[in-house]
Each structure stands twice: as C-alpha cells, then as structure tokens.
Short mmCIF file of all heavy atoms in Angstrom, two decimals:
data_model
loop_
_atom_site.label_atom_id
_atom_site.label_comp_id
_atom_site.label_asym_id
_atom_site.label_seq_id
_atom_site.Cartn_x
_atom_site.Cartn_y
_atom_site.Cartn_z
N GLU A 1 7.40 10.96 9.01
CA GLU A 1 8.49 10.22 8.38
C GLU A 1 8.08 9.50 7.10
O GLU A 1 8.93 9.05 6.33
CB GLU A 1 9.07 9.20 9.36
CG GLU A 1 8.17 8.00 9.67
CD GLU A 1 7.09 8.23 10.72
OE1 GLU A 1 6.75 9.40 10.99
OE2 GLU A 1 6.58 7.23 11.25
N GLN A 2 6.77 9.41 6.83
CA GLN A 2 6.29 8.56 5.72
C GLN A 2 6.75 9.05 4.35
O GLN A 2 7.13 8.26 3.49
CB GLN A 2 4.76 8.46 5.75
CG GLN A 2 4.22 7.50 6.78
CD GLN A 2 4.33 8.01 8.20
OE1 GLN A 2 4.49 9.21 8.42
NE2 GLN A 2 4.23 7.11 9.16
N LEU A 3 6.72 10.36 4.15
CA LEU A 3 7.07 10.91 2.84
C LEU A 3 8.52 10.56 2.49
O LEU A 3 8.82 10.06 1.40
CB LEU A 3 6.86 12.42 2.85
CG LEU A 3 6.80 13.17 1.54
CD1 LEU A 3 5.81 12.54 0.57
CD2 LEU A 3 6.43 14.63 1.79
N SER A 4 9.41 10.78 3.43
CA SER A 4 10.82 10.46 3.19
C SER A 4 11.02 8.96 3.03
O SER A 4 11.80 8.51 2.18
CB SER A 4 11.68 10.97 4.35
OG SER A 4 11.71 12.38 4.35
N SER A 5 10.33 8.18 3.85
CA SER A 5 10.55 6.73 3.79
C SER A 5 10.06 6.15 2.47
O SER A 5 10.67 5.22 1.93
CB SER A 5 9.87 6.03 4.97
OG SER A 5 8.47 6.05 4.85
N LEU A 6 8.98 6.68 1.92
CA LEU A 6 8.51 6.20 0.62
C LEU A 6 9.52 6.54 -0.48
O LEU A 6 9.72 5.78 -1.43
CB LEU A 6 7.14 6.80 0.28
CG LEU A 6 5.96 6.25 1.09
CD1 LEU A 6 4.70 7.05 0.79
CD2 LEU A 6 5.73 4.77 0.80
N ARG A 7 10.17 7.69 -0.34
CA ARG A 7 11.17 8.08 -1.33
C ARG A 7 12.38 7.16 -1.32
O ARG A 7 13.17 7.16 -2.27
CB ARG A 7 11.61 9.53 -1.08
CG ARG A 7 10.55 10.56 -1.43
CD ARG A 7 11.00 11.95 -1.02
NE ARG A 7 10.03 12.98 -1.39
CZ ARG A 7 9.78 14.07 -0.68
NH1 ARG A 7 10.44 14.28 0.45
NH2 ARG A 7 8.90 14.95 -1.09
N LEU A 8 12.54 6.38 -0.27
CA LEU A 8 13.68 5.47 -0.18
C LEU A 8 13.45 4.18 -0.96
O LEU A 8 14.39 3.41 -1.18
CB LEU A 8 13.97 5.13 1.29
CG LEU A 8 14.37 6.30 2.18
CD1 LEU A 8 14.60 5.81 3.61
CD2 LEU A 8 15.63 7.00 1.66
N ILE A 9 12.22 3.91 -1.35
CA ILE A 9 11.92 2.66 -2.06
C ILE A 9 12.32 2.80 -3.53
O ILE A 9 11.77 3.64 -4.24
CB ILE A 9 10.42 2.30 -1.96
CG1 ILE A 9 10.02 2.12 -0.48
CG2 ILE A 9 10.11 1.04 -2.75
CD1 ILE A 9 8.53 1.86 -0.29
N PRO A 10 13.27 2.00 -4.01
CA PRO A 10 13.66 2.10 -5.42
C PRO A 10 12.47 1.83 -6.34
O PRO A 10 11.62 0.98 -6.06
CB PRO A 10 14.72 1.00 -5.57
CG PRO A 10 15.21 0.73 -4.18
CD PRO A 10 14.04 0.98 -3.28
N ASN A 11 12.42 2.58 -7.43
CA ASN A 11 11.41 2.40 -8.49
C ASN A 11 9.99 2.78 -8.07
O ASN A 11 9.04 2.48 -8.78
CB ASN A 11 11.42 0.96 -9.04
CG ASN A 11 10.72 0.87 -10.38
OD1 ASN A 11 10.84 1.76 -11.22
ND2 ASN A 11 9.95 -0.19 -10.60
N LEU A 12 9.83 3.44 -6.93
CA LEU A 12 8.54 4.04 -6.59
C LEU A 12 8.65 5.53 -6.86
O LEU A 12 9.53 6.20 -6.32
CB LEU A 12 8.21 3.80 -5.11
CG LEU A 12 6.98 4.55 -4.57
CD1 LEU A 12 5.70 4.04 -5.22
CD2 LEU A 12 6.90 4.43 -3.05
N PHE A 13 7.77 6.06 -7.70
CA PHE A 13 7.70 7.50 -7.93
C PHE A 13 6.74 8.11 -6.91
O PHE A 13 5.59 7.67 -6.80
CB PHE A 13 7.23 7.81 -9.35
CG PHE A 13 8.33 7.83 -10.38
CD1 PHE A 13 9.51 7.12 -10.19
CD2 PHE A 13 8.19 8.56 -11.55
CE1 PHE A 13 10.53 7.13 -11.13
CE2 PHE A 13 9.20 8.58 -12.50
CZ PHE A 13 10.38 7.87 -12.30
N VAL A 14 7.23 9.10 -6.18
CA VAL A 14 6.41 9.81 -5.19
C VAL A 14 6.17 11.22 -5.73
O VAL A 14 7.12 11.97 -5.95
CB VAL A 14 7.11 9.86 -3.82
CG1 VAL A 14 6.24 10.59 -2.81
CG2 VAL A 14 7.43 8.45 -3.33
N LEU A 15 4.92 11.57 -5.95
CA LEU A 15 4.55 12.86 -6.53
C LEU A 15 3.78 13.67 -5.48
O LEU A 15 2.81 13.19 -4.92
CB LEU A 15 3.66 12.68 -7.76
CG LEU A 15 4.07 11.60 -8.78
CD1 LEU A 15 3.07 11.56 -9.94
CD2 LEU A 15 5.48 11.84 -9.31
N ARG A 16 4.23 14.91 -5.23
CA ARG A 16 3.55 15.74 -4.23
C ARG A 16 3.17 17.08 -4.88
O ARG A 16 3.97 18.03 -4.91
CB ARG A 16 4.44 15.96 -3.01
CG ARG A 16 3.67 16.55 -1.83
CD ARG A 16 4.48 16.56 -0.55
NE ARG A 16 3.67 17.06 0.55
CZ ARG A 16 4.01 18.04 1.38
NH1 ARG A 16 5.19 18.65 1.23
NH2 ARG A 16 3.20 18.43 2.34
N PRO A 17 1.95 17.18 -5.39
CA PRO A 17 1.51 18.40 -6.08
C PRO A 17 1.36 19.58 -5.12
O PRO A 17 0.98 19.41 -3.97
CB PRO A 17 0.15 18.01 -6.67
CG PRO A 17 0.06 16.52 -6.55
CD PRO A 17 0.91 16.14 -5.41
N ALA A 18 1.64 20.78 -5.65
CA ALA A 18 1.54 22.00 -4.85
C ALA A 18 0.22 22.73 -5.02
O ALA A 18 -0.09 23.63 -4.25
CB ALA A 18 2.69 22.94 -5.19
N ASP A 19 -0.54 22.35 -6.03
CA ASP A 19 -1.88 22.93 -6.19
C ASP A 19 -2.73 22.00 -7.05
O ASP A 19 -2.26 20.94 -7.50
CB ASP A 19 -1.84 24.36 -6.75
CG ASP A 19 -1.49 24.45 -8.23
OD1 ASP A 19 -1.21 23.40 -8.87
OD2 ASP A 19 -1.50 25.58 -8.77
N ALA A 20 -3.98 22.38 -7.27
CA ALA A 20 -4.93 21.50 -7.96
C ALA A 20 -4.47 21.15 -9.37
O ALA A 20 -4.61 20.01 -9.82
CB ALA A 20 -6.31 22.16 -7.99
N ASN A 21 -3.92 22.13 -10.09
CA ASN A 21 -3.52 21.85 -11.47
C ASN A 21 -2.33 20.90 -11.55
O ASN A 21 -2.20 20.14 -12.51
CB ASN A 21 -3.22 23.17 -12.20
CG ASN A 21 -4.51 23.87 -12.58
OD1 ASN A 21 -5.42 23.27 -13.15
ND2 ASN A 21 -4.62 25.15 -12.21
N GLU A 22 -1.49 20.90 -10.53
CA GLU A 22 -0.39 19.93 -10.52
C GLU A 22 -0.91 18.51 -10.29
O GLU A 22 -0.24 17.54 -10.65
CB GLU A 22 0.65 20.32 -9.47
CG GLU A 22 1.43 21.58 -9.86
CD GLU A 22 2.65 21.84 -8.99
OE1 GLU A 22 2.94 21.01 -8.10
OE2 GLU A 22 3.32 22.86 -9.22
N VAL A 23 -2.10 18.39 -9.72
CA VAL A 23 -2.71 17.07 -9.54
C VAL A 23 -3.02 16.44 -10.90
O VAL A 23 -2.83 15.24 -11.10
CB VAL A 23 -3.97 17.16 -8.66
CG1 VAL A 23 -4.67 15.81 -8.58
CG2 VAL A 23 -3.62 17.65 -7.26
N SER A 24 -3.51 17.24 -11.82
CA SER A 24 -3.77 16.73 -13.17
C SER A 24 -2.50 16.17 -13.79
O SER A 24 -2.50 15.10 -14.42
CB SER A 24 -4.35 17.83 -14.06
OG SER A 24 -5.68 18.13 -13.69
N VAL A 25 -1.39 16.88 -13.60
CA VAL A 25 -0.11 16.41 -14.13
C VAL A 25 0.30 15.10 -13.44
O VAL A 25 0.79 14.17 -14.08
CB VAL A 25 0.98 17.48 -13.93
CG1 VAL A 25 2.29 17.02 -14.58
CG2 VAL A 25 0.55 18.82 -14.50
N ALA A 26 0.05 15.04 -12.13
CA ALA A 26 0.42 13.83 -11.38
C ALA A 26 -0.30 12.61 -11.94
O ALA A 26 0.31 11.54 -12.12
CB ALA A 26 0.08 14.02 -9.91
N TRP A 27 -1.58 12.75 -12.21
CA TRP A 27 -2.33 11.61 -12.75
C TRP A 27 -1.85 11.25 -14.15
O TRP A 27 -1.78 10.07 -14.51
CB TRP A 27 -3.83 11.90 -12.74
CG TRP A 27 -4.45 11.49 -11.44
CD1 TRP A 27 -4.81 12.29 -10.40
CD2 TRP A 27 -4.75 10.15 -11.02
NE1 TRP A 27 -5.32 11.54 -9.36
CE2 TRP A 27 -5.30 10.22 -9.72
CE3 TRP A 27 -4.62 8.90 -11.62
CZ2 TRP A 27 -5.71 9.09 -9.02
CZ3 TRP A 27 -5.03 7.77 -10.93
CH2 TRP A 27 -5.56 7.87 -9.64
N GLN A 28 -1.48 12.24 -14.95
CA GLN A 28 -0.95 11.92 -16.28
C GLN A 28 0.34 11.12 -16.15
O GLN A 28 0.54 10.12 -16.87
CB GLN A 28 -0.67 13.20 -17.08
CG GLN A 28 -0.02 12.91 -18.43
CD GLN A 28 0.01 14.09 -19.37
OE1 GLN A 28 -0.93 14.89 -19.39
NE2 GLN A 28 1.07 14.22 -20.14
N ILE A 29 1.20 11.50 -15.24
CA ILE A 29 2.46 10.76 -15.03
C ILE A 29 2.15 9.33 -14.60
O ILE A 29 2.76 8.37 -15.09
CB ILE A 29 3.33 11.49 -13.99
CG1 ILE A 29 3.82 12.82 -14.55
CG2 ILE A 29 4.50 10.61 -13.55
CD1 ILE A 29 4.40 13.76 -13.51
N ALA A 30 1.21 9.17 -13.66
CA ALA A 30 0.88 7.84 -13.15
C ALA A 30 0.32 6.94 -14.25
O ALA A 30 0.59 5.73 -14.28
CB ALA A 30 -0.12 7.95 -12.00
N ILE A 31 -0.45 7.51 -15.15
CA ILE A 31 -1.03 6.74 -16.25
C ILE A 31 0.03 6.36 -17.29
O ILE A 31 0.04 5.24 -17.82
CB ILE A 31 -2.18 7.54 -16.92
CG1 ILE A 31 -3.35 7.68 -15.94
CG2 ILE A 31 -2.65 6.87 -18.21
CD1 ILE A 31 -4.37 8.73 -16.35
N GLU A 32 0.94 7.27 -17.54
CA GLU A 32 1.95 7.03 -18.56
C GLU A 32 3.08 6.13 -18.05
O GLU A 32 3.74 5.45 -18.84
CB GLU A 32 2.55 8.36 -19.04
CG GLU A 32 1.58 9.25 -19.78
CD GLU A 32 1.08 8.62 -21.07
OE1 GLU A 32 1.89 8.05 -21.82
OE2 GLU A 32 -0.14 8.67 -21.32
N ARG A 33 3.27 6.11 -16.74
CA ARG A 33 4.40 5.35 -16.18
C ARG A 33 4.02 3.88 -16.02
O ARG A 33 3.24 3.51 -15.14
CB ARG A 33 4.81 5.94 -14.82
CG ARG A 33 6.01 5.24 -14.25
CD ARG A 33 6.59 5.92 -13.04
NE ARG A 33 7.86 5.28 -12.75
CZ ARG A 33 8.06 4.41 -11.76
NH1 ARG A 33 7.07 4.11 -10.93
NH2 ARG A 33 9.23 3.85 -11.59
N LYS A 34 4.58 3.03 -16.84
CA LYS A 34 4.17 1.63 -16.88
C LYS A 34 5.19 0.69 -16.24
O LYS A 34 4.92 -0.50 -16.10
CB LYS A 34 3.90 1.20 -18.32
CG LYS A 34 2.75 1.98 -18.96
CD LYS A 34 2.54 1.60 -20.40
CE LYS A 34 1.27 2.20 -20.97
NZ LYS A 34 1.27 3.66 -20.99
N GLU A 35 6.35 1.20 -15.86
CA GLU A 35 7.41 0.31 -15.37
C GLU A 35 7.53 0.31 -13.85
O GLU A 35 8.51 -0.18 -13.30
CB GLU A 35 8.75 0.69 -16.00
CG GLU A 35 9.29 2.04 -15.59
CD GLU A 35 8.71 3.22 -16.38
OE1 GLU A 35 7.79 3.03 -17.19
OE2 GLU A 35 9.20 4.34 -16.17
N GLY A 36 6.52 0.82 -13.17
CA GLY A 36 6.57 0.80 -11.71
C GLY A 36 5.40 1.56 -11.11
O GLY A 36 4.64 2.23 -11.81
N PRO A 37 5.25 1.48 -9.77
CA PRO A 37 4.12 2.14 -9.10
C PRO A 37 4.37 3.63 -8.88
O PRO A 37 5.52 4.10 -8.87
CB PRO A 37 4.05 1.40 -7.76
CG PRO A 37 5.46 0.98 -7.50
CD PRO A 37 6.07 0.68 -8.85
N THR A 38 3.29 4.35 -8.67
CA THR A 38 3.33 5.79 -8.45
C THR A 38 2.47 6.14 -7.24
O THR A 38 1.32 5.70 -7.16
CB THR A 38 2.82 6.56 -9.68
OG1 THR A 38 3.60 6.19 -10.82
CG2 THR A 38 2.90 8.05 -9.46
N ALA A 39 3.02 6.92 -6.32
CA ALA A 39 2.26 7.41 -5.16
C ALA A 39 1.98 8.89 -5.35
O ALA A 39 2.91 9.69 -5.51
CB ALA A 39 3.05 7.17 -3.88
N ILE A 40 0.70 9.24 -5.35
CA ILE A 40 0.29 10.64 -5.44
C ILE A 40 -0.07 11.09 -4.02
O ILE A 40 -0.99 10.55 -3.41
CB ILE A 40 -0.89 10.82 -6.40
CG1 ILE A 40 -0.53 10.27 -7.79
CG2 ILE A 40 -1.27 12.29 -6.51
CD1 ILE A 40 -1.66 10.32 -8.80
N VAL A 41 0.66 12.07 -3.51
CA VAL A 41 0.56 12.47 -2.10
C VAL A 41 -0.17 13.81 -2.03
O VAL A 41 0.27 14.80 -2.64
CB VAL A 41 1.97 12.57 -1.48
CG1 VAL A 41 1.88 13.01 -0.03
CG2 VAL A 41 2.67 11.21 -1.58
N LEU A 42 -1.26 13.84 -1.27
CA LEU A 42 -2.24 14.93 -1.37
C LEU A 42 -2.62 15.51 -0.01
O LEU A 42 -2.58 14.82 1.01
CB LEU A 42 -3.50 14.41 -2.07
CG LEU A 42 -3.27 13.75 -3.45
CD1 LEU A 42 -4.47 12.93 -3.86
CD2 LEU A 42 -2.94 14.82 -4.48
N THR A 43 -3.05 16.76 -0.04
CA THR A 43 -3.39 17.46 1.21
C THR A 43 -4.85 17.25 1.61
O THR A 43 -5.71 17.02 0.76
CB THR A 43 -3.19 18.98 1.07
OG1 THR A 43 -4.12 19.49 0.09
CG2 THR A 43 -1.78 19.31 0.65
N ARG A 44 -5.08 17.34 2.90
CA ARG A 44 -6.46 17.45 3.38
C ARG A 44 -6.93 18.90 3.24
O ARG A 44 -8.08 19.17 2.87
CB ARG A 44 -6.54 17.05 4.85
CG ARG A 44 -7.96 17.17 5.38
CD ARG A 44 -8.03 17.18 6.89
NE ARG A 44 -9.42 17.28 7.33
CZ ARG A 44 -9.80 17.75 8.50
NH1 ARG A 44 -8.90 18.18 9.36
NH2 ARG A 44 -11.07 17.79 8.82
N GLN A 45 -6.03 19.85 3.54
CA GLN A 45 -6.40 21.27 3.60
C GLN A 45 -6.42 21.91 2.21
O GLN A 45 -5.74 21.48 1.30
CB GLN A 45 -5.43 22.02 4.53
CG GLN A 45 -4.03 22.25 3.99
CD GLN A 45 -3.07 21.10 4.29
OE1 GLN A 45 -3.48 19.96 4.44
NE2 GLN A 45 -1.78 21.41 4.35
N LYS A 46 -7.21 22.97 2.12
CA LYS A 46 -7.31 23.72 0.86
C LYS A 46 -5.99 24.44 0.59
O LYS A 46 -5.37 25.00 1.51
CB LYS A 46 -8.44 24.74 0.96
CG LYS A 46 -8.66 25.55 -0.31
CD LYS A 46 -9.67 26.67 -0.12
CE LYS A 46 -11.07 26.14 0.04
NZ LYS A 46 -12.08 27.25 0.04
#
C-alpha cells in the first residue's frame, strides 16, 4: 500500500524508474525540483 499512499500526499513527487537509465533522470528531477520533496522508488531485484 505504500506506493499508492505516498502518491496521496500533496506536493510530494513519487518517481518509479523502470530501468537504470531512468534512475539518472529521476535524480535530475529531484535536483531541479526546489518547491517540494521527491521520493525515488527503487527495486531490490535486477
């Protein structure tokens, strides 16, 4: 339930990359986004 529940918080950006290269994009968004927090959601598995 955590992924959906985090999406319910206003002004929290939740980013869930689908592969390694999307992780680079996620970090760029988190660095550029100055008006609120960003959650980068990541896999344990390859």
Side-chain angles (χ1 to χ4, degrees):
E1 71 278 19
Q2 281 74 19
L3 196 52
S4 291
S5 71
L6 288 173
R7 288 174 177 145
L8 298 179
I9 300 176
N11 198 38
L12 172 67
F13 274 25
V14 180
L15 316 179
R16 193 171 183 232
D19 73 357
N21 283 310
E22 290 192 2
V23 175
S24 288
V25 184
W27 272 102
Q28 176 168 324
I29 292 166
I31 292 165
E32 293 297 315
R33 183 171 190 256
K34 297 177 171 62
E35 66 277 6
T38 303
I40 303 177
V41 179
L42 305 164
T43 65
R44 180 197 181 203
Q45 72 272 28
K46 182 187 290 188

